[in-house]
Amino acid sequence: MPLSYAGNFAESARQVVELEAAGLDVVWVAEAYGYDGPSLMGYLAAKTERVEIGAAILPIYSRTPTLIAMTAAGIDALSDGRFILGLGASGPQVIEGFHGVPYDRPLTRTREIIEICRDVWAREAPLTHQGAAYQIPLPAGEGTGLGKPLKIIGHPVRSRIPIWVAALGEKNLAMTAEVAEGWLPFFFVPEKVDEVFGPSLAAGAARRDPDLGPLQIAAGGILAIGDGPEVTKLRDLGRGMAALYIGGMGAKGKNFYNALACRYGYEKEAAEIQDLYLAGHKNEAEQKVPDALLEATSLCGPEGYIKERLAAFAQAGVTHLNVTPIGPDPVTAIEKLRSWL
C-alpha cells in the first residue's frame, strides 16, 4: 500500500504496524514537496519487523547519484535488508519550481543513476563513472581537480538493493523493463496493458539481463470490499487525485499523466479536465474524470467482483497488488485480500 503524502509520521507508522500484522508485504513512501521520504522510511524501519519499505519515489534530480545510493544503503541497513529503491523523474514544475534544478535528460540520468547505485553497493572498486550526465570523479578542468575515486565506507547489507522505476513514457518504460527490478505504473488499467504498454515492455525485455529475473509490477488502487452501491461509490474518492494528476501535474503539452489518459482513449475528457483544472475549476474537473477509468483503476465492490479484478491484474502481469484500503476496517480488508492471493 502507498502511504499518504501528508500523514503524521507516528500515525502512519501505527497504521503500517497494524497492517503488517494483517499481512501487508510492502509499504510505499512518496516524496513530493512536503517532508522528505527517507526520514519517514527510517522511522518505519525502526517500528516494523517484516514489511518491505519502498520509496515511491525518490526524485532523481534532488540528490546526487551517490547520495541516492548512500540513502538506500542506510535504510536497507536500518531495516535489515527490507528496502526497495523506487526512482522517478517527477516533473518540471516540481523539479525546476521547487528544487531549482533543470529538468533535462530524464532517461539518461535514470539509467546512469541505476548503474552508479549498483556500483556503490557492490563496493568492488573505488567508484568511477564517465557518462553523458554524470562524471565521477569530476574530470580535469572542472572543480578543484582534487577529486579522487572512493568506496562507500560502510559495507551495505546487500550488494544489490532492488530498484523500481516509476515510468509512463514509452522510452522510459522500455528502459525500465531492460534494467530495473520493478516497475511502478500509474493509472494502471489491466485490460489496456498490451495495447498501451506492450511494445515498450517487449522492447525492454528483449535487452534484459536474465539475472534480473522477471520484471516486477505493482498496481491496484482504492480497496473497499462489500455489497451495495455505497461500496462501489467509494471509488469516487479517487476523483480528486485523478483530476490533480491529469489536469494539474504539469503544463499543457508537458503532463505525462494527461498523455497517458489520452493513450487510454480519453482524449476529450483529458483535455476538458486539464482546461478546467488549470483554470481553477477543480470540482468541475473532478466530475469530468471518466467513471470507467475510476472503476478500472480501483478495487471496490463485492467479493466476487474483487476476485475477478484480481484475476485481471494477475493476467496483466502484476506481481504486487498495490492497494489503498478505505472504510472502517482496513485490517479485515487486508486479511481477506491476503487469503485470496
Side-chain angles (χ1 to χ4, degrees):
M1 65 170 287
L3 279 187
S4 169
Y5 279 13
N8 173 276
F9 277 15
E11 179 183 334
S12 295
R14 282 194 296 272
Q15 181 189 32
V16 173
V17 168
E18 186 177 41
L19 294 179
E20 178 184 46
L24 185 69
D25 294 304
V26 184
V27 60
W28 298 102
V29 178
E31 181 177 281
Y33 42 95
Y35 292 141
D36 71 296
S39 292
L40 178 53
M41 289 187 283
Y43 186 69
L44 291 174
K47 294 290 185 178
T48 56
E49 298 178 355
R50 182 189 59 81
V51 69
E52 290 184 273
I53 301 164
I57 47 88
L58 288 185
I60 61 172
Y61 293 96
S62 54
R63 298 166 175 85
T64 65
T66 41
L67 180 55
I68 291 174
M70 293 163 63
T71 300
I75 301 172
D76 205 48
L78 284 170
S79 63
D80 294 323
R82 291 185 284 129
F83 182 64
I84 300 171
L85 175 59
L87 298 173
S90 185
Q93 288 186 323
V94 173
I95 298 306
E96 297 185 353
F98 192 68
H99 292 289
V101 176
Y103 189 91
D104 65 344
R105 297 180 291 177
L107 271 69
T108 299
R109 290 185 183 278
T110 301
R111 184 183 287 272
E112 292 190 24
I113 286 170
I114 291 172
E115 293 172 357
I116 292 167
C117 283
R118 287 173 175 162
D119 285 346
V120 169
W121 302 328
R123 209 175 176 274
E124 293 175 349
L127 177 66
T128 61
H129 178 88
Q130 298 303 313
Y134 301 104
Q135 295 81 46
I136 303 173
L138 279 177
E142 294 187 31
T144 64
L146 299 177
K148 58 180 290 186
L150 298 170
K151 284 185 183 180
I152 186 172
I153 294 173
H155 290 256
V157 171
R158 291 184 291 175
S159 61
R160 191 66 173 260
I161 296 171
I163 297 176
W164 293 50
V165 178
L168 290 176
E170 296 176 15
K171 293 180 179 179
N172 196 11
L173 179 52
M175 184 270 297
T176 298
E178 178 189 352
V179 303
E181 276 86 0
W183 172 36
L184 292 163
F186 200 84
F187 293 142
F188 186 92
V189 177
E191 291 80 5
K192 295 276 189 178
V193 168
D194 289 342
E195 175 186 343
V196 174
F197 301 118
S200 296
L201 290 171
R207 299 188 296 268
R208 187 176 181 83
D209 184 343
D211 289 343
L212 281 172
L215 181 70
Q216 306 292 293
I217 303 173
I222 292 173
L223 171 67
I225 306 170
D227 298 313
E230 68 278 4
V231 175
T232 55
K233 187 69 175 173
L234 289 173
R235 65 175 66 111
D236 281 345
L237 294 174
R239 285 191 182 278
M241 182 68 74
L244 166 64
Y245 277 82
I246 296 172
M249 281 292 188
K252 284 194 173 184
K254 288 291 185 180
N255 183 321
F256 310 122
Y257 309 97
N258 189 282
L260 177 59
C262 292
R263 290 165 65 192
Y264 278 146
Y266 299 113
E267 295 92 342
K268 177 177 177 291
E269 293 89 343
E272 292 174 339
I273 292 167
Q274 188 173 57
D275 287 344
L276 288 166
Y277 202 96
L278 294 179
H281 305 302
K282 297 180 181 179
N283 292 335
E284 292 88 341
E286 291 178 14
Q287 298 311 307
K288 293 290 184 179
V289 176
D291 292 343
L293 180 62
L294 291 175
E295 180 176 0
T297 56
S298 63
L299 294 157
C300 299
E303 292 189 3
Y305 170 81
I306 299 295
K307 291 176 181 178
E308 290 176 0
R309 296 307 297 155
L310 297 185
F313 278 96
Q315 180 66 32
V318 171
T319 59
H320 293 59
L321 194 68
N322 194 20
V323 299
T324 301
I326 58 177
D329 192 1
V331 169
T332 298
I334 291 296
E335 288 175 342
K336 282 187 175 182
L337 202 62
R338 178 79 185 189
S339 69
W340 298 337
L341 295 176

